[in-house]
């Protein structure tokens, strides 16, 4: 985290860069596990029909990977939504806070304002819950298809 300060990105941009770096290995493993299950015959058929490599990817492979896109999006969003330590360390002393850091204002050394704290927890839960419910079917398909070898 010292590197973000040296690079001058000890702010929201630094947090985003750290999240991209932290979640990249897991996302790549999920994608590669899913791509192995896509038959090569689809690519060969597209090549016979005259499609270029990019056209094959964007017209055939990318849409087939929709369940894995949803899975990666929800897992990454859930992990970043609930993370407290990364923004706390990187953006310490800054004026802007993430939602979990703002929720920490309801807890002090001498007590906790439980009414406001639990209300903020409930309100913070709603967006990620809606996002998960919208993507639920795709997530299950992505996890099942990416796990089979």
């Amino acid at each position: 985290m010292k590197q973000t300060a040296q690079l001058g990105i000890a702010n929201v941009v630094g947090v985003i860069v750290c999240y991209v770096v932290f979640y990249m290995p897991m996302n790549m493993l999920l994608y590669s596990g899913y791509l192995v299950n896509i038959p090569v015959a689809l690519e060969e058929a597209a090549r016979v029909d005259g499609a270029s490599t990019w056209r094959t990817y964007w017209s055939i492979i990318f849409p087939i990977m929709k369940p894995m896109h949803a899975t990666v999006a929800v897992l990454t969003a859930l992990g970043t939504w609930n993370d407290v330590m990364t923004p706390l360390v990187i953006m310490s002393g800054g004026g802007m806070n993430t939602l979990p850091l703002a929720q920490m204002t309801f807890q002090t050394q001498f007590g906790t304002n439980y009414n406001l704290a639990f209300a903020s927890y409930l309100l913070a839960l709603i967006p990620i819950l809606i996002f998960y419910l919208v993507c639920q079917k795709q997530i299950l398909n992505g996890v099942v298809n990416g796990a089979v070898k």
Side-chain angles (χ1 to χ4, degrees):
M1 304 307 161
K2 183 179 178 183
Q3 289 81 10
T4 57
Q6 290 174 343
L7 293 172
I9 54 172
N11 51 23
V12 177
V13 174
V15 173
I16 293 171
V17 168
C18 285
Y19 283 142
V20 168
V21 170
F22 293 159
Y23 284 98
M24 187 70 69
M26 180 187 70
N27 294 344
M28 290 311 233
L29 284 172
L30 288 171
Y31 276 123
S32 64
Y34 193 81
L35 281 171
V36 169
N37 295 324
I38 297 176
V40 179
L42 292 172
E43 296 176 47
E44 293 171 351
R47 179 66 65 191
V48 168
D49 288 343
S52 67
T53 303
W54 284 106
R55 179 72 177 181
T56 302
Y57 178 73
W58 287 112
S59 299
I60 296 170
I61 304 300
F62 193 78
I64 289 174
M65 293 175 56
K66 192 165 89 169
M68 189 49 60
H69 298 315
T71 303
V72 166
V74 168
L75 291 176
T76 304
L78 187 62
T80 56
W81 189 263
N82 291 325
D83 189 22
V84 173
M85 288 307 293
T86 304
L88 181 65
V89 171
I90 292 177
M91 298 188 327
S92 62
M96 292 180 56
N97 285 332
T98 61
L99 191 58
L101 290 180
Q103 290 176 337
M104 288 177 55
T105 60
F106 300 118
Q107 300 172 357
T108 64
Q109 181 180 357
F110 303 109
T112 301
N113 190 347
Y114 289 108
N115 297 338
L116 293 176
F118 283 109
S120 72
Y121 301 153
L122 185 62
L123 289 174
L125 173 77
I126 292 171
I128 200 74
L129 184 64
I130 291 171
F131 183 58
Y132 175 76
L133 291 175
V134 167
C135 299
Q136 182 179 9
K137 181 181 175 187
Q138 298 299 324
I139 292 168
L140 294 176
N141 290 338
V143 171
V144 170
N145 291 338
V148 177
K149 185 170 183 177

